[in-house]
Amino acid sequence: MIGCADKREQPRELTGADAANGLAVIERVGCAACHRIPGVAWPTGTVGGSLDGFGNQSMIAGRFPNQPQTLAVWVRDAPSMAPATGMPAMPITPAEARDVAAYLYTLDDD
Amino acid sequence: MTEAKSETGFDPELYKRFPTSGERPEGELEKLEKIWCGPKGWEWITVINNNYVGVYYIGAAMLFFVLAGILSLLMRTQLALPLNGFLEQETYNQLFTMHGTIMMFLFAVPAVEALGVLLLPQMLGARDLPFPRLSAYAFWAYLIGGLAFFCSIFFGLAPNGGWFMYPPLTSMTYSPGINADFWLLGIGFIEISAIAGAIEIIVGVLKNRAPGMTLDKMPIFAWGMLIFACMIIIAFPSVILATTLMELERAFGWPFFDALKGGDPLLWQHLFWFFGHPEVYIIFLPAAAAMSTMVAAVARTPLVGYRLVVLAMIATGFISFGVWSHHMFTTGMPSISIGFFSSASMAVSLPAGIQVFAWIATVAAGKMRFSTPGLFVLGSLTVFVMGGLTGVMVAMVPFDWQAHDSYFIVAHLHYVLIGGMVFPFFAAIYFWTPMSSSRPLSERLGKWVFWLMFAGMHIAFLPMHLTGLMGMPRRVYTYLPDRGWEIPNMISTVGAFLFAVGVLIWIVDMIRNFRPFGPRDAGNVFDSGGLEWLPTGLYSTRSIPIVTTRYPLWEQPNLARDVEAGRYFLPDAPTGDRETLVTSPLNAEPQYLQRIPRPSGWHVWAAVFTAGFFLLLTIQAYWASAVSGVLAVYCVFMWGWLLDRPRIQPTVDIGAGIQVPTYMSGPRSHGWWAMVITLVVAGMILVMTAFSYVFLWSRNPLDWIAPPQTGLIIIATMYAAALVAVRASNAVLVADRPRSPQLATALMLGALALAAGAWWIDLTGWWATGLTPQVSGQGATVFYFLSWQGFFVGTSAIMGLFVLLRFLTGQVEAKRPATFELIGLYLAYTAGQGLISVLLTRLFPGG
Amino acid sequence: MTEPIDGLQGWPPPVLDPAGPFAGPVNTLSWALFGIVIAVFVVVMIALGIALFGPRSWRRRIGGEKVLWGLGLAFPVVVLSALLVWGLGLTAQLSEDPDPSEMRVRVTGEMWWWRVAYLDAQGNEAFQDANEVHIPVGQPVVFELEAADVIHSFWVPRLGGKMDMIPGRRNILRLQADEPGSYGGQCAEYCGGPHALMGLIVVAHTPEDFAAWRAKQAAPSTGLVAASALPVAAGRQVFQASGCGACHAINGTDANGQAGPDLSHVGSRRTLGAGILPNNQGTLAGWISDSQAIKPGNRMPAYPVLTGQQLRDVSAYLESLE
């Protein structure tokens, strides 16, 4: 029975990360050029997936577990994890990447 | 006070016979009421009495105001936040275009025209307007066309080039859909409507005043409407030409505005703004004249500086034709042009300032009451002065180079339009509702309406001055964040909604209290001095008074009582039909009795088919459009057929034994005036065409080819001969010889044949040179001259048919020369226009 | 408030925050005009106030025709005439003919971007760029303004007034920046579609920096030298194979299309899409893949056919072109 424990309940926390700054970083580097991101009115890019409800998603890009550390690496250097991805490395620091991840985790379905 | 010399030979001593004494005969009033009865059933659609048409017209105008206002609320919602996704880019672009177009063309001009239709006859002491079916036609064409135009939004087909639709953006290349055609053809109705209204008003104001009402005693509102109408006659032809040329370019590739093919985008700007700037004064002057009326009434004292105000309005009208290029300061004009237009633009503020100080002086001289009209009047003064001052700012060219096409201009234009027209119009609604409705509007709600609109207006538009200086351009569907534009935009949006709440309360007030078309009205609630406050029925006043002052109800004692008792002119209907008096333009001396037609369906059908013609053309249903056009012509034919009727008695008694004719032709007659005014419109189109021709030549002189080398003499001779034939036809008819009708008809048709033949030779001559309309600016303008002339030859042919039919039905006689005279004028104009066109295109630049 | 990417800050209002001699006098004029119109408005309101609420003797003085002649005619004539003289004089000053020695830049308004061409001493185009104009400080620069399709308008409020770009005409605008920096602007004549997203940047350098910049721009990008290094080489192949050169030119390669912006030094631009996107590999990839979602209606089609790898490669290549 323990094997069926709801793994989604594992808390997604990034200690010391600032979700508000994450939104500012998203706007500064233009993530919305490819992604539709709640909280960013424009652009509403369609190249990558919509990040609506990302907080509840179990996977990143359909391949990786949606966990804080994984996400923080992904947003900064996706090609290092998935060489064929269309998402390039982004010019943000690791601390900024964590802030971005924190913001994305605020995006749940409501 | 010196007595004016008699203008027409009428003996002013005859006025002393009025008011007559004794009772009027039994049944006279009932007969008047029966002749002027109100509509029943379908007659509500065919009604032509200005008391009905005026209310319909104002209602339609306010409907468009509300519709365009809703569009603006959608726009402001979109702009409240940066990069807002409330409206898509294309939707926003269509909405802002429609907002401007509807406000300027479907609300502002029709609204003030409607005010004239409703008020002028009663203000002037006439029974109705001189051409009531014409204004009814204008109304129906406007309503049908305007509603169809508005519905284009729901199909995503609304124009999206901005309300002044600059090419090349609006050319076929960059606007391939029919959206732009909707605008071009949609504006077509408004143009017809406005011109019809203008003809009505000029003739009504100058020829249908109560006896004794000299120009100096004419209500100031009538002066405003007169100048308004004259301005329409001179300004609208320019936009008629511009829209026609653009449609020709879009549909057939005639390159008027295409720089690559010898046209010039600036030609559109010149043609449009030559209309566009006077347009805003066309909108402002009647409202200002209404202000002058209401300020005097609410302050219960005559207007201070009446003559100065009249001169100021005339000066405004005049100067406003000389400022159009201030909309083009950033197009790279030569310095000398810039200097001229900047000076003129500063100068035009002077007469407006005089009017403002006349209002302040009047308030000082009287005792202002803060009723709802009073509040709107004061609010309008404040807002208009602010708008006028920012206008002076943008007349300074270096400042305009920064402010042009930014939100500063949006602020300026809304201040002058809302202060100069919307607020005066709301004041007028509150002020004159008691004249049309059995209940006045609510003073309590009215104060809410005013304060919400006043506050909302400032909150919405005052920040826009700043927004423009912050760098925000016009006509943007969104803006980037982090500029600081968010805060003023949000404030503006809040203000817009506040304003809208005010309008909503007004709508509620209208629903609750406006009761028109009833047997009685609410009375002279504001104790005003104008004739429109006399007790009236659908026949206007029971008798037509003699006017001796500017404020008859204040200064002519017992006037209301005597008028109602029938003790002045025309207490009855001597010909048994609807009539009014025609008086002379300067001194309003009685000249003849005008018989006004009864309602019939032809003008409504003509409006439906006119609207159909334009709309079907827009959606490219060409055959249906042609059928509709033919039917429209047929309806106009039938409408006109009922005019120029046999007369029953040569003169009638219009009161106290004074006899006047019942029929008039020649320069005294209202029909002659209407035709001449129409021909002035045509002439202005010709002038603007000539301007276009010379302008395009100046841009590309090397592209001009030599004109046809032969034909000029014979063409000119034929047109000259046509002119002679027309003259001869009229002279022969009036000479009343035994075979006069046949000869006159033959001469008229001969003139037509000469004009048509001259045109044909001109056309084939140009065709033979190998020039085509698509190939160059010369081709486009020369063939436009030829097409325009062809249109006149064609319509002259229709008139020729009319003449022939009149002859064959025995209606051509020396005693009734009016039809021949008017058609003769038209034909003579056609010949003259052809002559000018052929001389210009073949002699300039020559070669 | 973060710095806007194109340098067009709303506060202080750029029209009132002049950065050069073609904007400074206009700013002075603006303040003077504000002062005058506010003063006139106050006078009118006082007159109205007296007319409404004042004592009888005051109201009698205002309630006559003299007020119309005096306040309504004489006073405005004097004030307006003085203003007119000032305005016309300043107009003449701002529209002085250019000196032949002044640097010339030809900017052509396109739907919905700016084609920038730097002219040499003979007036021929030396090299092209897009959406950014670089100028040296301290000297007037002559902008030759043209339009490729519809009417646009060139407006950089901190540097001066605007001038329209009209097909079939060439208009001249002289501007000067006194301090190095970025001066943002926006198209100021409605040109359909995403007119709202047609921004521009004027970057002013010290004369030394400008000379260095100009030399670098005139030559092919040094990034091309690294063309042998992956993934940039792969990206260059994607660029060629996808036919991008049919619309875009890259100096030093055989891509020479003129329909779209010149990409020779696109990596060094501050923004993409005419002032609307920050410039990095990610946004460039997003633009290439589907610029329609970002700037609807713009003339560049979407490229959904590119794989993720191709997208990253080509955007890496273009970003390397500094």
Side-chain angles (χ1 to χ4, degrees):
Chain A
M1 288 297 141
I2 298 202
C4 307
D6 192 352
K7 303 244 178 4
R8 274 182 309 146
E9 290 311 318
Q10 230 184 63
R12 288 181 177 139
E13 278 165 20
L14 297 110
T15 47
D18 177 2
N21 187 47
L23 178 58
V25 171
I26 286 172
E27 287 175 339
R28 194 194 78 222
V29 298
C31 305
C34 288
H35 295 282
R36 184 183 211 88
I37 306 175
V40 182
W42 175 92
T44 47
T46 53
V47 182
S50 166
L51 303 184
D52 197 11
F54 186 80
N56 291 340
Q57 245 170 256
S58 42
M59 292 188 126
I60 301 172
R63 298 176 58 173
F64 304 101
N66 190 356
Q67 290 301 315
Q69 308 313 321
T70 318
L71 183 59
V73 175
W74 174 263
V75 298
R76 190 161 171 265
D77 191 358
S80 68
M81 291 166 63
T85 182
M87 176 162 160
M90 296 302 287
I92 59 180
T93 66
E96 286 172 336
R98 287 161 52 81
D99 289 344
V100 170
Y103 178 76
L104 293 177
Y105 283 138
T106 65
L107 303 176
D108 44 32
D109 280 325
D110 47 55
Chain B
M1 190 175 90
T2 46
E3 278 301 321
K5 266 194 11 238
S6 175
E7 188 186 351
T8 59
F10 181 83
D11 181 5
E13 289 294 308
L14 290 172
Y15 286 146
K16 298 216 170 84
R17 296 189 190 173
F18 299 95
T20 56
S21 50
E23 292 298 314
R24 297 305 308 171
E26 241 337 285
E28 194 182 65
L29 179 58
E30 285 71 19
K31 190 167 146 225
L32 203 55
E33 282 171 348
K34 192 146 171 293
I35 291 169
W36 286 89
C37 63
K40 293 176 277 297
W42 286 114
E43 290 169 358
W44 285 84
I45 297 181
T46 58
V47 68
I48 59 176
N49 190 314
N50 80 299
N51 296 297
Y52 288 83
V53 176
V55 171
Y56 290 359
Y57 223 140
I58 293 182
M62 294 315 286
L63 172 66
F64 285 116
F65 175 72
V66 170
L67 290 176
I70 292 173
L71 297 185
S72 74
L73 291 179
L74 295 171
M75 287 156 59
R76 279 303 337 155
T77 306
Q78 164 68 7
L79 291 177
L81 297 169
L83 300 172
N84 203 354
F86 175 69
L87 291 177
E88 271 176 22
Q89 178 190 101
E90 178 60 23
T91 311
Y92 185 92
N93 290 345
Q94 291 190 7
L95 291 191
F96 84 71
T97 303
M98 290 298 274
H99 169 76
T101 306
I102 294 174
M103 281 296 192
M104 294 301 280
F105 287 111
L106 295 180
F107 161 63
V109 172
V112 295
E113 200 160 288
L115 203 57
V117 167
L118 184 65
L119 296 177
L120 283 175
Q122 279 79 279
M123 254 189 197
L124 301 172
R127 288 244 150 84
D128 205 331
L129 290 167
F131 309 106
R133 287 181 301 178
L134 188 62
S135 41
Y137 165 82
F139 164 72
W140 287 110
Y142 150 69
L143 181 69
I144 299 171
L147 286 175
F149 177 66
F150 184 77
C151 288
S152 65
I153 296 178
F154 301 117
F155 297 93
L157 289 176
N160 57 3
W163 88 271
F164 33 91
M165 297 288 280
Y166 279 178
L169 177 63
T170 50
S171 69
M172 211 49 170
T173 318
Y174 300 106
S175 292
I178 64 174
N179 315 46
D181 303 300
F182 256 109
W183 189 92
L184 293 168
L185 296 168
I187 298 310
F189 306 108
I190 311 314
E191 294 161 356
I192 293 179
S193 218
I195 293 193
I199 294 175
E200 189 88 66
I201 288 169
I202 294 176
V203 178
V205 167
L206 290 178
K207 301 286 290 173
N208 285 111
R209 304 198 301 275
M213 186 189 279
T214 63
L215 284 180
D216 199 29
K217 300 194 191 80
M218 196 163 77
I220 194 86
F221 182 70
W223 271 110
M225 292 302 296
L226 177 64
I227 298 166
F228 153 89
C230 292
M231 288 175 73
I232 286 185
I233 298 302
I234 307 293
F236 266 72
S238 195
V239 76
I240 292 176
L241 180 67
T243 52
T244 310
L245 296 187
M246 184 176 276
E247 191 54 53
L248 286 172
E249 179 173 294
R250 286 177 55 84
F252 302 120
W254 296 21
F256 298 101
F257 312 117
D258 185 348
L260 294 171
K261 299 208 197 122
D264 189 347
L266 283 191
L267 176 62
W268 169 270
Q269 296 193 22
H270 281 296
L271 289 177
F272 185 84
W273 289 116
F274 183 79
F275 149 78
H277 192 84
E279 153 91 337
V280 305
Y281 287 97
I282 285 171
I283 290 169
F284 167 66
L285 280 179
M291 284 277 285
S292 295
T293 311
M294 291 184 288
V295 168
V298 177
R300 199 46 176 82
T301 185
L303 178 71
V304 171
Y306 171 97
R307 283 190 185 160
L308 257 182
V309 169
V310 170
L311 281 173
M313 290 200 292
I314 294 175
T316 305
F318 208 69
I319 301 176
S320 76
F321 278 94
V323 304
W324 81 89
S325 281
H326 69 214
H327 299 268
M328 297 163 63
F329 278 152
T330 59
T331 57
M333 291 197 301
S335 299
I336 195 165
S337 312
I338 287 183
F340 171 76
F341 285 105
S342 180
S343 313
S345 305
M346 310 270 285
V348 80
S349 67
L350 291 168
I354 289 181
Q355 290 188 65
V356 168
F357 280 107
W359 299 332
I360 295 179
T362 307
V363 168
K367 177 126 180 58
M368 192 68 179
R369 289 166 287 166
F370 294 94
S371 53
T372 305
L375 286 174
F376 269 107
V377 156
L378 294 171
S380 143
L381 201 156
T382 312
V383 171
F384 179 70
V385 167
M386 290 170 76
L389 289 170
T390 54
V392 169
M393 291 174 77
V394 293
M396 299 281 283
V397 176
F399 182 78
D400 186 64
W401 281 344
Q402 288 281 23
H404 175 69
D405 259 343
S406 78
Y407 261 76
F408 190 92
I409 296 289
V410 176
H412 161 69
L413 75 91
H414 283 93
Y415 265 84
V416 282
L417 284 172
I418 293 180
M421 187 264 164
V422 176
F423 278 0
F425 199 75
F426 272 83
I429 290 176
Y430 276 89
F431 185 80
W432 272 294
T433 291
M435 187 195 77
S436 301
S437 156
S438 57
R439 303 218 296 246
L441 295 177
S442 156
E443 275 295 306
R444 192 179 56 89
L445 285 180
K447 293 186 166 56
W448 276 96
V449 172
F450 170 71
W451 284 111
L452 281 169
M453 286 176 73
F454 186 73
M457 187 269 159
H458 284 295
I459 295 172
F461 295 106
L462 197 56
M464 288 185 187
H465 295 100
L466 181 61
T467 320
L469 297 179
M470 291 169 87
M472 184 169 176
R474 283 174 84 163
R475 303 167 153 192
V476 290
Y477 77 98
T478 191
Y479 50 94
L480 293 178
D482 300 330
R483 290 205 221 267
W485 295 354
E486 299 87 312
I487 298 174
N489 268 287
M490 177 58 86
I491 297 174
S492 289
T493 301
V494 169
F497 276 91
L498 210 59
F499 186 94
V501 171
V503 176
L504 189 61
I505 296 179
W506 169 75
I507 294 175
V508 167
D509 194 2
M510 289 290 282
I511 294 174
R512 288 175 66 186
N513 287 313
F514 188 64
R515 300 284 179 271
F517 314 137
R520 49 175 192 86
D521 54 51
N524 196 352
V525 165
F526 299 103
D527 191 19
S528 169
L531 281 181
E532 72 273 20
W533 297 101
L534 284 171
T536 55
L538 288 174
Y539 43 78
S540 195
T541 48
R542 168 73 200 281
S543 55
I544 297 179
I546 296 174
V547 167
T548 56
T549 81
R550 286 180 193 149
Y551 298 93
L553 256 57
W554 289 344
E555 291 163 23
Q556 286 176 235
N558 299 323
L559 185 68
R561 189 197 66 192
D562 287 334
V563 163
E564 260 232 282
R567 298 199 180 124
Y568 283 101
F569 282 97
L570 222 53
D572 62 342
T575 64
D577 221 338
R578 297 188 178 188
E579 307 141 342
T580 193
L581 272 185
V582 175
T583 56
S584 62
L586 299 178
N587 289 347
E589 295 160 6
Q591 288 185 306
Y592 64 98
L593 185 78
Q594 177 183 350
R595 291 159 64 197
I596 298 177
R598 299 263 200 151
S600 73
W602 291 113
H603 66 277
V604 180
W605 286 113
V608 167
F609 291 122
T610 308
F613 169 73
F614 281 104
L615 288 167
L616 292 165
L617 206 55
T618 308
I619 62 173
Q620 298 172 339
Y622 296 122
W623 281 113
S625 171
V627 167
S628 194
V630 167
L631 285 171
V633 171
Y634 172 70
C635 291
V636 172
F637 221 77
M638 292 308 297
W639 168 2
W641 191 261
L642 302 171
L643 295 166
D644 203 6
R645 290 168 287 176
R647 29 186 189 174
I648 12 65
Q649 55 220 109
T651 64
V652 288
D653 178 349
I654 53 172
I658 299 176
Q659 298 272 341
V660 293
T662 57
Y663 183 94
M664 187 61 70
S665 64
R668 283 187 177 196
S669 80
H670 55 289
W672 192 95
W673 281 58
M675 178 57 81
V676 167
I677 295 170
T678 310
L679 295 177
V680 170
V681 171
M684 277 305 296
I685 295 180
L686 185 68
V687 166
M688 301 313 282
T689 311
F691 166 77
S692 308
Y693 174 82
V694 174
F695 182 80
L696 288 185
W697 170 81
S698 73
R699 299 284 300 149
N700 295 288
L702 299 174
D703 286 351
W704 246 244
I705 67 168
Q709 296 302 303
T710 56
L712 177 58
I713 307 283
I714 187 156
I715 294 170
T717 311
M718 286 172 79
Y719 278 130
L723 281 166
V724 168
V726 164
R727 223 55 244 270
S729 168
N730 282 323
V732 157
L733 182 62
V734 169
D736 203 8
R737 296 281 151 70
R739 300 185 66 77
S740 273
Q742 291 94 313
L743 252 178
T745 309
L747 279 166
M748 194 64 81
L749 294 175
L752 171 65
L754 281 165
W759 171 74
W760 184 252
I761 297 175
D762 197 7
L763 174 66
T764 50
W766 276 105
W767 210 253
T769 64
L771 184 70
T772 63
Q774 290 91 348
V775 77
S776 66
Q778 179 188 24
T781 45
V782 164
F783 278 92
Y784 182 74
F785 270 114
L786 291 167
S787 311
W788 184 238
Q789 182 64 7
F791 172 72
F792 269 78
V793 167
T795 44
S796 297
I798 295 177
M799 295 196 183
L801 180 63
F802 192 85
V803 157
L804 188 59
L805 287 171
R806 299 287 286 188
F807 172 70
L808 292 173
T809 54
Q811 310 238 32
V812 177
E813 46 174 347
K815 290 194 315 238
R816 292 195 282 143
T819 299
F820 263 64
E821 242 172 32
L822 298 185
I823 292 184
L825 278 173
Y826 191 86
L827 214 44
Y829 173 82
T830 303
Q833 175 176 272
L835 194 53
I836 292 174
S837 309
V838 74
L839 288 173
L840 181 65
T841 54
R842 291 188 186 219
L843 294 181
F844 179 89
Chain C
M1 204 188 297
T2 54
E3 173 83 16
I5 52 176
D6 61 358
L8 182 57
Q9 254 177 328
W11 196 266
V15 173
L16 302 177
D17 185 22
F22 291 91
V26 183
N27 174 52
T28 312
L29 176 66
S30 309
W31 283 105
L33 285 173
F34 271 119
I36 292 173
V37 305
I38 289 174
V40 170
F41 181 67
V42 166
V43 165
V44 173
M45 287 296 109
I46 290 177
L48 183 61
I50 295 175
L52 286 168
F53 306 115
R56 175 171 296 224
S57 58
W58 290 55
R59 284 171 51 205
R60 218 174 319 135
R61 259 193 250 145
I62 298 188
E65 267 191 39
K66 276 226 296 263
V67 149
L68 275 70
W69 287 104
L71 269 180
L73 200 55
F75 172 67
V77 165
V78 169
V79 172
L80 293 178
S81 305
L83 280 177
L84 189 63
V85 168
W86 183 0
L88 294 181
L90 184 55
T91 308
Q93 182 191 327
L94 294 172
S95 27
E96 267 167 16
D97 282 333
D99 190 87
S101 65
E102 286 167 7
M103 171 182 148
R104 292 187 152 236
V105 182
R106 183 174 300 149
V107 183
T108 305
E110 306 253 358
M111 285 159 116
W112 290 272
W113 57 282
W114 312 87
R115 183 188 301 269
V116 181
Y118 293 83
L119 306 184
D120 60 23
Q122 285 75 38
N124 302 316
E125 287 189 13
F127 60 93
Q128 265 201 31
D129 197 1
N131 301 326
E132 276 179 18
V133 186
H134 292 250
I135 62 174
V137 299
Q139 46 186 274
V141 174
V142 179
F143 288 82
E144 295 185 0
L145 301 174
E146 301 182 348
D149 36 38
V150 300
I151 301 179
H152 300 273
S153 193
F154 186 90
W155 188 31
V156 184
R158 288 194 68 201
L159 298 183
K162 62 182 64 71
M163 181 63 75
D164 289 350
M165 302 154 123
I166 300 170
R169 283 166 194 265
R170 172 183 295 170
N171 280 335
I172 302 289
L173 180 67
R174 285 168 82 226
L175 297 176
Q176 174 176 330
D178 283 340
E179 298 290 319
S182 284
Y183 302 97
Q186 210 169 317
C187 174
E189 180 63 58
Y190 176 65
C191 42
H195 157 73
L197 298 177
M198 185 170 164
L200 83 128
I201 308 180
V202 172
V203 183
H205 305 267
T206 62
E208 309 76 44
D209 286 347
F210 179 75
W213 176 89
R214 188 178 178 133
K216 182 163 179 283
Q217 289 285 126
S221 167
T222 49
L224 286 176
V225 174
S228 56
L230 284 170
V232 177
R236 182 175 173 168
Q237 276 174 349
V238 172
F239 187 91
Q240 285 170 330
S242 307
C244 307
C247 288
H248 295 283
I250 297 182
N251 198 355
T253 71
D254 49 16
N256 60 0
Q258 291 298 304
D262 188 294
L263 298 180
S264 305
H265 298 274
V266 65
S268 65
R269 287 196 206 135
R270 284 160 173 70
T271 64
L272 293 179
I276 59 176
L277 279 179
N279 186 0
N280 59 53
Q281 191 188 352
T283 49
L284 188 48
W287 177 270
I288 293 170
S289 180
D290 189 3
S291 62
Q292 292 298 319
I294 298 169
K295 190 166 173 178
N298 89 79
R299 295 275 191 255
M300 175 163 165
Y303 284 88
V305 294
L306 294 177
T307 67
Q309 182 74 60
Q310 289 174 317
L311 204 52
R312 275 181 23 235
D313 289 343
V314 76
S315 51
Y317 165 63
L318 291 171
E319 280 300 317
S320 75
L321 298 178
E322 295 207 341

